[in-house]
Amino acid sequence: MSLLNVADLVVDHRTPGRPAVRAVAGASLTVAAGEVVGLVGESGCGKSTLARAVCGLVPAAGGAVAFEDRPVTRLGLRRRDPALTRIQMVFQDPYASLNPRRRVGAQIGDGLAAAGDRATTPGEMLERVGLPGGMAERYPHEFSGGQRQRIAIARALAARPSLLIGDEPISALDASAQAQVATLMRNLAVESGAGLLFISHDLSVVRLIADRIAVMYLGKIVETGPTARVWAEPRHPYTQALLRAIPEPDGLGRLPEELPGDVPDPADPPQGCRFHPRCPVAMDVCAEREPAFGPVACWLHPPA
Amino acid sequence: MTVNVPGAGPVLSVEGLTVSIGAHEILRGVDLVLRPGRVHGLAGESGSGKTMTGLAALGLLPHGARTGGRVVLDGRDLLTLPPRELNAVRGRDIAMVFQDPATSLHPMLTVGRQITEHMRHHLRVGRAEARERAVELLGQVRIPGPAAAVDRYPHQFSGGMRQRIAIAIALACGPKVLIADEPTTALDVTVQAGVLRLIRRLCDELGLAVLLVTHDLGVMSAVADEVSVMREGLVLEQGPRERVLRAPAHPYTRALLDALPRHGEADAASKEDS
């Protein structure tokens, strides 16, 4: 049984007077308890929208999201179903996600209250993320970006989630803090037995912490697999292109390879395989029929 | 356009540069040299003073900042140049590309207007000639359909294309020095690859001297010829790219490299101990 089961999820963004943009176009994904899944893809591929649909921040136009075998309902103005507070999210920008006018301890306290935890103090939560407990009395502006993101993580963990979602939680941080914060998130999630859905465009960090990688392109998951396998032997041409584009700090002065073309407009996706206009190995079938199968959605790798 | 020979004498040299604001010392004696056709990478964490070094070279310092040392371009110290003369240098001899093209481009002016504006100001070229040159520049930075692109607005381009436009603007007056502050940090890896290739090509073809400020040692490794590593306003280590990144002498450089997840490392060592 999976903790989170996203089946054929469709999410549309509607703007009056314009055609709906299908940000997520039939994506399927599972996260098991204690598992870390890394969701990667270029900006605009729909990975953040998928995360927001998982916690009910945007409505689904089709498909289903099930958390602990119950459907996730849309978050409205009313109090959230207590079962759903077991999904917690850490957002991209800790400068925006923390309330600047409340002490960080009080904000972490909200999480503890959501879990009905009266025994743990905010200070103890801060210590778990590697900050001195005494800092609970301070305000967000007194912290650096990396520290703020640790506070946001402490707040999310305080609610004792069984699923933690990180939506680009490290992209606003310094390179030296990125790997640390990502590893911290992984360790804390796994320790508490929670699943972690970690969204990032930074493949090298995802590789460091994820058990499984899901690669998203233009609203669809194009490849999933164990991290080591995907890294060593990427099958989808898009995954291959992504990995080749990462510059290595090896001092050899090798320029990374370019993936020509732009991500097509999701309001008007190409016929057939969504990647075929940019694909270096596209065949005739790719322009005609969409490879609607997994774990590698490519006509070169049909399921056995 | 003259193509300078790589390895020629320095175009810009920063000598013992100090910057302080109030009692706070931001730069505590920075030395570095930019040569034609070479990319000098400046690495460090936020707050290390790497951006300030780039800004000081352009005289774009915050109000009330006190400076010491010299920034020499063509035998003239930019730090002591009167504002009028400095304005003549900025944008013409030294140009800058910022991190986020969404904020560095003017949203309400066409791309062509933004490229031609300082060209007409600095080089006194006519409208038609400037426009022609703008189309040429857009082609040079590989914007598809440059003749039509000059009349479009920044929002009509993707992030990577906008950064290429920002580079075209910087190149408009044929500068000798390009200061690029985290030029690919806001971009996806696939788009970043294209922009890095562009910077390298411009450097090689035009003999541009580039100061590349970045926190990403992978980016540094891909395009820089020389590397400086900064911390707390000081350059801790400086040298050829391959030497600094493959055999770092300073423990801080080693620590920065060790903080990075890399290919070929034992997979997920961190995963096992969790």
Side-chain angles (χ1 to χ4, degrees):
Chain A
M1 184 204 87
S2 316
L3 176 69
L4 174 76
N5 203 339
V6 179
D8 222 13
L9 179 72
V10 178
V11 181
D12 289 334
H13 288 312
R14 294 177 185 283
T15 321
R18 289 200 190 172
V21 174
R22 186 146 287 188
V24 180
S28 302
L29 184 75
T30 60
V31 181
E35 186 188 34
V36 179
V37 176
L39 181 60
V40 299
E42 287 168 282
S43 46
C45 74
K47 54 192 193 302
S48 288
T49 305
L50 185 132
R52 298 175 77 84
V54 165
C55 43
L57 291 172
V58 290
V65 180
F67 171 65
E68 293 180 331
D69 288 330
R70 295 163 53 144
V72 171
T73 49
R74 190 180 174 200
L75 180 67
L77 292 173
R78 308 181 69 192
R79 181 175 279 269
R80 153 153 272 195
D81 179 350
L84 291 183
T85 63
R86 290 175 53 80
I87 304 180
Q88 286 291 324
M89 191 145 166
V90 175
F91 294 90
Q92 176 169 0
D93 182 2
Y95 291 78
S97 68
L98 294 174
N99 185 337
R101 299 174 57 152
R102 294 180 69 209
R103 294 179 198 275
V104 299
Q107 301 188 54
I108 294 169
D110 291 348
L112 293 168
D117 183 346
R118 289 188 191 80
T120 314
T121 63
E124 285 166 32
M125 291 308 301
L126 282 178
E127 281 164 17
R128 282 186 64 192
V129 295
L131 293 174
M135 288 190 170
E137 294 305 307
R138 298 201 188 173
Y139 289 92
H141 76 262
E142 298 175 69
F143 296 92
S144 71
Q147 288 174 324
R148 284 185 220 208
Q149 202 58 297
R150 285 169 191 266
I151 294 163
I153 293 169
R155 179 177 63 178
L157 286 170
R160 300 202 173 275
S162 52
L163 176 65
L164 188 61
I165 299 174
D167 183 8
E168 298 269 10
I170 53 162
S171 58
L173 309 180
D174 247 17
S176 50
Q178 285 184 344
Q180 271 175 22
V181 170
T183 311
L184 176 79
M185 256 184 109
R186 175 193 162 84
N187 292 346
L188 291 174
V190 172
E191 255 167 45
S192 63
L196 171 61
L197 178 59
F198 190 90
I199 295 164
S200 180
H201 68 274
D202 187 338
L203 286 108
S204 41
V205 170
V206 167
R207 180 195 181 222
L208 184 71
I209 64 156
D211 303 311
R212 212 146 53 77
I213 287 188
V215 183
M216 197 163 179
Y217 184 75
L218 206 61
K220 290 213 179 258
I221 308 279
V222 295
E223 179 164 2
T224 60
T227 305
R229 201 279 292 152
V230 173
W231 204 270
E233 189 203 323
R235 293 186 186 150
H236 198 286
Y238 178 63
T239 315
Q240 293 169 356
L242 272 183
L243 292 179
R244 273 200 304 265
I246 303 171
E248 287 251 20
D250 54 11
L252 295 179
R254 285 179 306 178
L255 284 163
E257 273 182 57
E258 211 173 333
L259 174 60
D262 277 321
V263 181
D265 183 358
D268 181 24
Q271 284 282 311
C273 171
R274 294 172 164 244
F275 187 58
H276 89 265
R278 297 171 84 187
C279 184
V281 291
M283 307 171 290
D284 291 343
V285 62
C286 304
E288 289 153 18
R289 280 189 297 149
E290 183 149 18
F293 44 77
V296 183
C298 175
W299 287 113
L300 289 172
H301 302 277
Chain B
M1 202 159 297
T2 52
V3 175
N4 293 297
V5 188
V11 196
L12 183 96
S13 51
V14 175
E15 298 161 10
L17 179 66
T18 62
V19 172
S20 47
I21 298 172
H24 195 59
E25 288 184 305
I26 296 165
L27 298 183
R28 301 188 289 159
V30 173
D31 293 282
L32 56 89
V33 167
L34 302 185
R35 295 173 199 280
R38 310 283 281 178
V39 176
H40 191 113
L42 193 53
E45 296 174 84
S46 354
S48 61
K50 56 191 196 304
T51 291
M52 195 60 82
T53 305
L55 292 176
L58 278 168
L60 292 175
L61 288 169
H63 193 70
R66 280 171 292 112
T67 56
R70 303 190 330 142
V71 177
V72 183
L73 176 84
D74 287 338
R76 288 195 297 175
D77 181 5
L78 299 182
L79 295 180
T80 56
L81 227 49
R84 247 190 110 79
E85 287 177 48
L86 187 59
N87 275 336
V89 171
R90 272 199 293 239
R92 193 188 64 198
D93 297 328
I94 306 186
M96 184 142 184
V97 174
F98 296 91
Q99 175 170 344
D100 187 359
T103 51
S104 69
L105 296 180
H106 195 303
M108 299 180 72
L109 297 179
T110 61
V111 164
R113 168 81 193 274
Q114 296 185 56
I115 298 175
T116 54
E117 193 171 42
H118 59 298
M119 209 190 314
R120 298 195 59 197
H121 171 80
H122 282 301
L123 307 179
R124 306 265 163 221
V125 294
R127 199 181 294 264
E129 191 191 338
R131 191 185 155 87
E132 210 172 283
R133 173 109 180 92
V135 174
E136 194 183 299
L137 280 161
L138 288 174
Q140 199 167 40
V141 297
R142 304 272 150 89
I143 299 281
V150 282
D151 294 318
R152 289 204 246 137
Y153 292 88
H155 78 267
Q156 293 169 295
F157 296 89
S158 66
M161 288 298 153
R162 280 185 215 158
Q163 196 58 295
R164 287 169 187 264
I165 291 166
I167 293 173
I169 293 171
L171 294 179
C173 295
K176 301 184 178 106
V177 178
L178 178 71
I179 295 170
D181 187 3
E182 303 276 7
T184 59
T185 305
L187 309 175
D188 280 315
V189 278
T190 47
V191 178
Q192 165 174 283
V195 172
L196 292 180
R197 285 177 166 266
L198 173 66
I199 290 175
R200 187 68 249 182
R201 184 167 57 83
L202 292 170
C203 190
D204 295 342
E205 286 176 9
L206 307 177
L208 207 60
V210 179
L211 179 65
L212 176 75
V213 176
T214 179
H215 69 274
D216 186 334
L217 296 176
V219 166
M220 183 91 29
S221 166
V223 287
D225 300 298
E226 282 89 36
V227 173
S228 294
V229 180
M230 282 189 79
R231 189 181 60 178
E232 290 166 5
L234 285 173
V235 174
L236 299 180
E237 182 162 8
Q238 196 167 61
R241 172 198 66 228
E242 198 157 339
R243 211 273 296 144
V244 175
L245 293 178
R246 293 188 82 83
H250 198 282
Y252 181 68
T253 314
R254 231 170 292 147
L256 277 183
L257 284 163
D258 288 344
L260 298 173
R262 260 190 286 178
H263 293 199
E265 230 166 53
D267 223 305
S270 62
K271 274 184 234 169
E272 306 314 326
D273 26 0
S274 58

CSV table of all heavy atoms in Angstrom, one decimal, chain A residues 158-191:
chain,number,residue,atom,x,y,z
A,158,ALA,N,6.7,19.6,12.9
A,158,ALA,CA,6.1,19.7,14.2
A,158,ALA,C,4.7,19.1,14.1
A,158,ALA,O,4.1,18.6,15.1
A,158,ALA,CB,6.0,21.2,14.7
A,159,ALA,N,4.0,19.2,12.9
A,159,ALA,CA,2.7,18.6,12.8
A,159,ALA,C,2.7,17.1,12.6
A,159,ALA,O,1.7,16.5,12.3
A,159,ALA,CB,2.0,19.3,11.6
A,160,ARG,N,3.8,16.5,12.8
A,160,ARG,CA,4.0,15.0,12.7
A,160,ARG,C,3.4,14.5,11.4
A,160,ARG,O,2.5,13.7,11.4
A,160,ARG,CB,3.3,14.3,13.9
A,160,ARG,CG,3.9,14.7,15.2
A,160,ARG,CD,3.7,13.7,16.2
A,160,ARG,NE,4.5,14.0,17.4
A,160,ARG,CZ,5.7,13.8,17.6
A,160,ARG,NH1,6.4,13.1,16.7
A,160,ARG,NH2,6.4,14.2,18.7
A,161,PRO,N,3.9,15.0,10.3
A,161,PRO,CA,3.4,14.6,9.0
A,161,PRO,C,3.7,13.1,8.7
A,161,PRO,O,4.8,12.6,9.1
A,161,PRO,CB,4.0,15.5,8.0
A,161,PRO,CG,5.3,15.9,8.6
A,161,PRO,CD,5.1,15.9,10.1
A,162,SER,N,2.9,12.4,7.9
A,162,SER,CA,3.3,11.2,7.4
A,162,SER,C,3.8,11.3,5.9
A,162,SER,O,4.4,10.5,5.4
A,162,SER,CB,2.2,10.1,7.5
A,162,SER,OG,1.0,10.6,6.9
A,163,LEU,N,3.5,12.5,5.4
A,163,LEU,CA,4.0,12.9,4.1
A,163,LEU,C,4.5,14.3,4.1
A,163,LEU,O,3.8,15.2,4.5
A,163,LEU,CB,2.9,12.7,3.0
A,163,LEU,CG,3.4,13.2,1.6
A,163,LEU,CD1,4.4,12.3,1.0
A,163,LEU,CD2,2.2,13.2,0.6
A,164,LEU,N,5.8,14.5,3.8
A,164,LEU,CA,6.4,15.8,3.7
A,164,LEU,C,6.6,16.1,2.3
A,164,LEU,O,7.1,15.3,1.5
A,164,LEU,CB,7.7,15.8,4.5
A,164,LEU,CG,8.4,17.1,4.8
A,164,LEU,CD1,7.5,18.0,5.6
A,164,LEU,CD2,9.7,16.8,5.5
A,165,ILE,N,6.2,17.3,1.9
A,165,ILE,CA,6.4,17.7,0.5
A,165,ILE,C,7.3,18.9,0.5
A,165,ILE,O,7.1,19.9,1.2
A,165,ILE,CB,5.1,18.1,-0.2
A,165,ILE,CG1,4.2,16.9,-0.2
A,165,ILE,CG2,5.3,18.6,-1.6
A,165,ILE,CD1,2.8,17.2,-0.8
A,166,GLY,N,8.4,18.9,-0.3
A,166,GLY,CA,9.3,20.0,-0.4
A,166,GLY,C,9.2,20.5,-1.8
A,166,GLY,O,9.5,19.8,-2.8
A,167,ASP,N,8.7,21.8,-2.0
A,167,ASP,CA,8.5,22.3,-3.3
A,167,ASP,C,9.7,23.3,-3.6
A,167,ASP,O,9.7,24.4,-3.1
A,167,ASP,CB,7.2,23.1,-3.4
A,167,ASP,CG,7.0,23.7,-4.8
A,167,ASP,OD1,7.8,23.3,-5.7
A,167,ASP,OD2,6.0,24.4,-5.0
A,168,GLU,N,10.7,22.8,-4.2
A,168,GLU,CA,12.0,23.5,-4.5
A,168,GLU,C,12.5,24.1,-3.2
A,168,GLU,O,12.8,25.3,-3.1
A,168,GLU,CB,11.7,24.7,-5.5
A,168,GLU,CG,11.3,24.2,-6.9
A,168,GLU,CD,12.4,24.0,-7.8
A,168,GLU,OE1,13.6,24.0,-7.4
A,168,GLU,OE2,12.1,23.8,-9.0
A,169,PRO,N,12.6,23.3,-2.1
A,169,PRO,CA,12.9,23.9,-0.8
A,169,PRO,C,14.3,24.5,-0.7
A,169,PRO,O,14.7,25.2,0.2
A,169,PRO,CB,12.7,22.8,0.2
A,169,PRO,CG,12.9,21.6,-0.6
A,169,PRO,CD,12.4,21.9,-2.0
A,170,ILE,N,15.2,24.1,-1.7
A,170,ILE,CA,16.6,24.5,-1.5
A,170,ILE,C,17.0,25.5,-2.6
A,170,ILE,O,18.1,26.0,-2.6
A,170,ILE,CB,17.5,23.3,-1.6
A,170,ILE,CG1,17.3,22.5,-2.8
A,170,ILE,CG2,17.4,22.5,-0.3
A,170,ILE,CD1,18.4,21.6,-3.1
A,171,SER,N,16.1,25.8,-3.6
A,171,SER,CA,16.6,26.6,-4.7
A,171,SER,C,16.9,28.1,-4.3
A,171,SER,O,17.6,28.8,-5.0
A,171,SER,CB,15.7,26.6,-5.9
A,171,SER,OG,14.4,27.0,-5.5
A,172,ALA,N,16.3,28.5,-3.1
A,172,ALA,CA,16.6,29.9,-2.7
A,172,ALA,C,17.9,30.0,-1.8
A,172,ALA,O,18.2,31.0,-1.3
A,172,ALA,CB,15.4,30.5,-2.0
A,173,LEU,N,18.5,28.8,-1.6
A,173,LEU,CA,19.6,28.8,-0.7
A,173,LEU,C,21.0,28.8,-1.4
A,173,LEU,O,21.1,28.5,-2.5
A,173,LEU,CB,19.5,27.6,0.2
A,173,LEU,CG,18.2,27.3,0.9
A,173,LEU,CD1,18.3,26.1,1.8
A,173,LEU,CD2,17.8,28.5,1.8
A,174,ASP,N,22.0,29.2,-0.6
A,174,ASP,CA,23.4,29.1,-1.1
A,174,ASP,C,23.8,27.7,-1.4
A,174,ASP,O,23.3,26.7,-0.8
A,174,ASP,CB,24.3,29.5,0.1
A,174,ASP,CG,25.0,30.8,-0.2
A,174,ASP,OD1,24.5,31.5,-1.1
A,174,ASP,OD2,25.9,31.1,0.5
A,175,ALA,N,24.7,27.6,-2.4
A,175,ALA,CA,25.1,26.2,-2.8
A,175,ALA,C,25.6,25.4,-1.6
A,175,ALA,O,25.3,24.2,-1.5
A,175,ALA,CB,26.2,26.3,-3.8
A,176,SER,N,26.3,26.1,-0.7
A,176,SER,CA,26.9,25.3,0.4
A,176,SER,C,25.8,24.9,1.4
A,176,SER,O,26.0,23.9,2.1
A,176,SER,CB,28.0,26.1,1.1
A,176,SER,OG,27.4,27.4,1.4
A,177,ALA,N,24.7,25.6,1.4
A,177,ALA,CA,23.6,25.2,2.3
A,177,ALA,C,22.7,24.2,1.7
A,177,ALA,O,21.9,23.5,2.4
A,177,ALA,CB,22.9,26.4,2.8
A,178,GLN,N,22.7,24.1,0.3
A,178,GLN,CA,21.6,23.3,-0.4
A,178,GLN,C,21.7,21.8,0.0
A,178,GLN,O,20.7,21.2,0.4
A,178,GLN,CB,21.8,23.5,-1.9
A,178,GLN,CG,21.3,24.8,-2.4
A,178,GLN,CD,21.3,24.9,-3.8
A,178,GLN,OE1,22.0,24.2,-4.5
A,178,GLN,NE2,20.6,25.9,-4.4
A,179,ALA,N,22.9,21.3,-0.1
A,179,ALA,CA,23.1,19.8,0.1
A,179,ALA,C,22.8,19.5,1.6
A,179,ALA,O,22.1,18.5,1.9
A,179,ALA,CB,24.5,19.4,-0.3
A,180,GLN,N,23.2,20.4,2.5
A,180,GLN,CA,22.9,20.2,3.9
A,180,GLN,C,21.5,20.2,4.2
A,180,GLN,O,21.0,19.3,4.9
A,180,GLN,CB,23.5,21.4,4.7
A,180,GLN,CG,24.9,21.3,5.1
A,180,GLN,CD,25.4,22.6,5.7
A,180,GLN,OE1,24.6,23.4,6.2
A,180,GLN,NE2,26.7,22.8,5.7
A,181,VAL,N,20.7,21.2,3.7
A,181,VAL,CA,19.3,21.3,4.0
A,181,VAL,C,18.6,20.1,3.4
A,181,VAL,O,17.7,19.5,4.0
A,181,VAL,CB,18.7,22.6,3.6
A,181,VAL,CG1,17.2,22.7,3.7
A,181,VAL,CG2,19.3,23.8,4.4
A,182,ALA,N,18.9,19.7,2.2
A,182,ALA,CA,18.3,18.6,1.5
A,182,ALA,C,18.5,17.3,2.3
A,182,ALA,O,17.6,16.5,2.5
A,182,ALA,CB,18.8,18.5,0.1
A,183,THR,N,19.7,17.1,2.7
A,183,THR,CA,20.1,15.9,3.5
A,183,THR,C,19.3,15.9,4.8
A,183,THR,O,18.8,14.9,5.3
A,183,THR,CB,21.6,15.8,3.7
A,183,THR,OG1,22.2,16.0,2.5
A,183,THR,CG2,22.0,14.5,4.3
A,184,LEU,N,19.2,17.1,5.5
A,184,LEU,CA,18.5,17.2,6.7
A,184,LEU,C,17.0,16.8,6.5
A,184,LEU,O,16.5,16.0,7.3
A,184,LEU,CB,18.6,18.6,7.2
A,184,LEU,CG,17.8,19.0,8.5
A,184,LEU,CD1,18.6,18.5,9.7
A,184,LEU,CD2,17.5,20.4,8.6
A,185,MET,N,16.4,17.3,5.4
A,185,MET,CA,15.0,17.0,5.2
A,185,MET,C,14.9,15.5,5.0
A,185,MET,O,13.9,14.9,5.5
A,185,MET,CB,14.6,17.7,3.9
A,185,MET,CG,13.7,18.9,4.2
A,185,MET,SD,13.1,19.6,2.6
A,185,MET,CE,11.4,19.1,2.7
A,186,ARG,N,15.8,14.9,4.3
A,186,ARG,CA,15.7,13.5,4.1
A,186,ARG,C,15.8,12.7,5.4
A,186,ARG,O,14.9,11.9,5.7
A,186,ARG,CB,16.8,13.0,3.1
A,186,ARG,CG,16.8,11.5,3.0
A,186,ARG,CD,18.0,10.8,2.4
A,186,ARG,NE,17.9,9.4,2.7
A,186,ARG,CZ,17.3,8.5,2.1
A,186,ARG,NH1,16.5,8.8,1.0
A,186,ARG,NH2,17.3,7.3,2.5
A,187,ASN,N,16.8,13.0,6.2
A,187,ASN,CA,17.0,12.3,7.4
A,187,ASN,C,15.9,12.4,8.4
A,187,ASN,O,15.4,11.4,8.9
A,187,ASN,CB,18.3,12.7,8.0
A,187,ASN,CG,19.6,12.4,7.2
A,187,ASN,OD1,19.4,11.5,6.3
A,187,ASN,ND2,20.7,12.9,7.5
A,188,LEU,N,15.3,13.6,8.5
A,188,LEU,CA,14.3,13.8,9.4
A,188,LEU,C,13.0,13.1,9.0
A,188,LEU,O,12.3,12.5,9.8
A,188,LEU,CB,14.0,15.3,9.6
A,188,LEU,CG,15.1,16.1,10.4
A,188,LEU,CD1,14.8,17.6,10.4
A,188,LEU,CD2,15.3,15.6,11.8
A,189,ALA,N,12.7,13.1,7.7
A,189,ALA,CA,11.5,12.5,7.2
A,189,ALA,C,11.7,11.0,7.4
A,189,ALA,O,10.8,10.3,7.9
A,189,ALA,CB,11.3,12.8,5.7
A,190,VAL,N,12.8,10.4,7.0
A,190,VAL,CA,13.0,9.0,7.1
A,190,VAL,C,13.0,8.5,8.5
A,190,VAL,O,12.3,7.5,8.9
A,190,VAL,CB,14.3,8.5,6.4
A,190,VAL,CG1,14.6,7.1,6.6
A,190,VAL,CG2,14.2,8.8,4.9
A,191,GLU,N,13.6,9.3,9.4
A,191,GLU,CA,13.6,9.0,10.9
A,191,GLU,C,12.2,8.8,11.4
A,191,GLU,O,11.9,8.0,12.2
A,191,GLU,CB,14.3,10.1,11.6
A,191,GLU,CG,15.7,9.8,12.1
A,191,GLU,CD,16.3,11.1,12.6
A,191,GLU,OE1,15.7,11.9,13.3
A,191,GLU,OE2,17.5,11.4,12.2
